Every structure is written in structure tokens, then in C-alpha cells.
Amino acid sequence: MSKLATSPEARQELLSAYLDGELRPDEEKGVEELLEREPEVREQLEGMRRVLGHLRHVERLAPPQSLDLAVTRRIALDGEHRSLLDRIEDGMAGLGGGKQSHLLFLFAMVIALAVIVLFFSHGLQQKQNGLIPVIFDEPPQMEDADLTTARQVLVGGALFQRHEDEHHGTLWVEDGLSVDTEAELVLLGSERAEELIAEHPELKGIAMLGHVKVEVAGHVLELLDDDSLGLTPSEASEP
Amino acid sequence: MKALLQVKPKFREAVVLRDLEGMSYDEIAEVLKVRIGTVRSRIARGRERLRAVLEKTAVLEKAVLEKTS
């Protein structure tokens, strides 16, 4: 108890902790001995007790009821705004898998992501190699396309695929038709061609392709200009 | 209790945690991130300051009562 004897602050600390029952047994014993011997210390202790008495009468503040409502509302809103991933994870947990399901779910997500990335990278590579000409790009309008290299073009909203072979030369075939679809052969510049263009003005734009197979009002036409005619080996070989 | 406002914040928080919240010295040390010896010291000094303020207030009140009566 040397501290009690030498320092008023240390004595105060010990008395304060004594009231709280927070002293070691030896310290407690020392304080009790001192209290028996020193009336001044007893008075100091009583002073502290009075302070504690005052503190016990301090009104405790309770949070307003509106706080509880606000917190509850906030929690509910958070629940509504949770991400889809959180909800799926909750659903997985609800299936009874617990942590294992959670890990499985994440693993599946990673695999799915890897497959998607591989698919697109493979597709891009194929596209660069010219193996799949149109998957990612919107076909160009005829005005914007280089007709010597384009594989397909849009004319007046209709899609035409380029076809090339020895027999037909370059032939643009409307989507839905094939090279072998039976068609009425119409030489551009002929009276028949003028008649058809007058009846179906959209043919004027389509005819710009040179050699084209197109369906108009349920009737399939193969339009052919002079150049295309000259390039067609079968036509050229005819007497 | 307005007297508490006249106690320095670091002593006041220790007194409040102990005497109003009923926390043990260990718990207070954990909350305030200080050693138990520091908790003990802050509580004692806070209470002492509070005692001094209350005594001063009581003396003043007594003087006012005597003057008015």
C-alpha cells in the first residue's frame, strides 16, 4: 500500500476501483485496512459514493421510436435492392448446400465465364480468318459495301449473299433463295426488265448488283447485266 | 446531469461507460483501446472532477438560497 501513502491520485484510483470491485485481493485488503485506520480516507470514499449516487439518478436516454422504424425500413429496402447474385447465392444456400454450395456456385460461374470468353475469342479468330464472315457485324448497305469483296449486302432491307462459281460467275442470291432456285432470267436493259422495274421500283436498286437472284411478289427473277452475261462461261461458250 | 459536461471528454467517456452503461474495466479497455490501468485512472479522475463540480454547484446553490431567504 505504498502508493496509498505516497500519492493522493493513486489513492483516489484505488478507492474508485474499490467501489467498483475491480481491485486485486491484496489491493482490496490494503484499502480496507486503510479505511479502518484513516477517517480522512473514509470521508474521501463517502464523497465518491455520493458522486456515484448522483450518476445513478441520471436519466437514461432512449432512442426515439422513429429511429427503430427508420432502421427497419432501411433493412427492408436493402433487401429489395440486393443484387441478383446475392439472391441466387441465398437461393443456393437455401437448398441446404451451405458453404459447399456457395463454392460450387462460384466455381460454376467462373467456368461459364471462361466458356463465354473462349467462344467469343474463337469466333473472332474465325472471323479474322474469313471462315465465318458474318456473325458479329451488321451486313453493310450496298452503297457502303465494296461489292468486289463483300460477302453479303443489304439492299432496301433485303439481304443478299454473294455466290461465286464457274457456272454463274458472281451471283447475289436473296436470303431464303438458293443458287438452284428456278428463276425467270431477265436481261437488264431489256423491255421485260423495264416492265418489271416499272412494276416493282425496288428492283432498280437491286439491279445495281449486276447479277442477282431475287423474289418479287412470289416470282423468282434472275437479273443479269451485260457484263455478267459476258463473264458467265456457259453463256460465253454458246454460239 | 450538466456537471458531466464539465468533465474532460476522455475522463467523461470512461465514467459514462462504467457508471451509466455498467461496463466492466476489461470491457471499457477493449472499447477505448487502452490498458486497464488507464481505464482505472480515467474513471477515478473523472469521478473526482465530477465530485468537485457537484460540490461547487451545491455551495453556490446554498449561497443563493441563503441570499434569497
Side-chain angles (χ1 to χ4, degrees):
Chain A
M1 297 305 297
S2 58
K3 285 169 83 181
L4 272 174
T6 55
S7 160
E9 288 80 17
R11 182 189 294 177
Q12 207 172 56
E13 268 184 47
L14 284 169
L15 290 176
S16 171
Y18 173 75
L19 284 174
D20 291 331
E22 293 272 359
L23 287 180
R24 294 193 310 269
D26 61 318
E27 288 177 320
E28 195 172 304
K29 193 178 172 189
V31 169
E32 282 167 354
E33 285 172 4
L34 193 69
L35 284 170
E36 276 181 28
R37 280 201 316 269
E38 303 280 346
E40 192 185 326
V41 178
R42 283 201 296 274
E43 198 177 315
Q44 197 176 354
L45 188 70
E46 284 310 307
M48 278 194 188
R49 279 208 173 105
R50 280 196 294 276
V51 171
L52 292 186
H54 274 96
L55 285 169
R56 288 195 186 104
H57 288 99
V58 172
E59 190 181 351
R60 300 290 297 278
L61 289 176
Q65 199 177 6
S66 58
L67 178 65
D68 181 44
L69 289 172
V71 170
T72 308
R73 187 165 169 271
R74 180 63 185 268
I75 291 168
L77 277 176
D78 279 354
E80 282 174 19
H81 293 154
R82 279 184 318 147
S83 69
L84 179 63
L85 190 64
D86 288 341
R87 288 169 190 233
I88 293 171
E89 284 180 358
D90 284 355
M92 295 286 290
L95 291 175
K99 197 171 183 177
Q100 200 175 1
S101 283
H102 181 78
L103 289 173
L104 198 64
F105 172 76
L106 285 177
F107 180 70
M109 291 291 283
V110 169
I111 295 293
L113 194 64
V115 168
I116 291 168
V117 168
L118 274 175
F119 173 78
F120 276 96
S121 62
H122 179 70
L124 281 170
Q125 196 176 6
Q126 293 282 311
K127 179 177 179 289
Q128 282 166 357
N129 293 340
L131 297 174
I132 43 172
V134 180
I135 282 185
F136 301 96
D137 296 337
E138 178 78 8
Q141 295 288 338
M142 186 178 71
E143 309 85 63
D144 304 326
D146 178 359
L147 294 179
T148 58
T149 57
R151 290 177 173 272
Q152 57 180 4
V153 289
L154 281 168
V155 186
L159 180 66
F160 291 86
Q161 305 276 356
R162 182 195 196 91
H163 176 84
E164 279 185 344
D165 64 20
E166 203 173 295
H167 178 69
H168 295 92
T170 299
L171 172 63
W172 294 93
V173 181
E174 188 180 7
D175 201 29
L177 302 177
S178 79
V179 179
D180 301 321
T181 306
E182 199 174 327
E184 177 190 350
L185 196 64
V186 177
L187 187 64
L188 290 168
S190 67
E191 280 184 21
R192 174 64 177 149
E194 296 299 322
E195 181 187 330
L196 284 166
I197 289 171
E199 195 176 343
H200 307 284
E202 68 270 23
L203 284 176
K204 195 173 181 181
I206 293 169
M208 300 291 283
L209 290 170
H211 186 190
V212 58
K213 189 169 278 193
V214 59
E215 185 176 350
V216 180
H219 187 60
V220 180
L221 303 170
E222 184 175 342
L223 305 177
L224 194 70
D225 62 10
D226 288 338
D227 291 341
S228 305
L229 191 64
L231 287 171
T232 306
S234 57
E235 296 286 330
S237 64
E238 281 180 9
Chain B
M1 187 187 222
K2 285 181 182 173
L4 264 176
L5 295 175
Q6 295 186 45
V7 179
K8 282 186 180 175
K10 69 176 181 181
F11 301 141
R12 183 168 64 220
E13 65 187 4
V15 169
V16 167
L17 290 176
R18 171 64 207 174
D19 295 326
L20 298 186
E21 298 300 327
M23 294 171 75
S24 70
Y25 283 22
D26 280 337
E27 290 168 331
I28 295 170
E30 200 177 324
V31 168
L32 300 181
K33 308 284 183 222
V34 295
R35 291 182 302 173
I36 287 194
T38 307
V39 171
R40 184 197 274 198
S41 167
R42 287 185 183 179
I43 290 173
R45 293 181 68 180
R47 284 171 175 170
E48 175 55 26
R49 171 69 182 151
L50 199 55
R51 188 192 61 75
V53 172
L54 288 171
E55 275 184 6
K56 191 178 169 185
T57 309
V59 168
L60 285 172
E61 282 176 355
K62 191 178 174 185
V64 170
L65 278 172
E66 281 175 358
K67 204 170 181 178
T68 52
S69 61

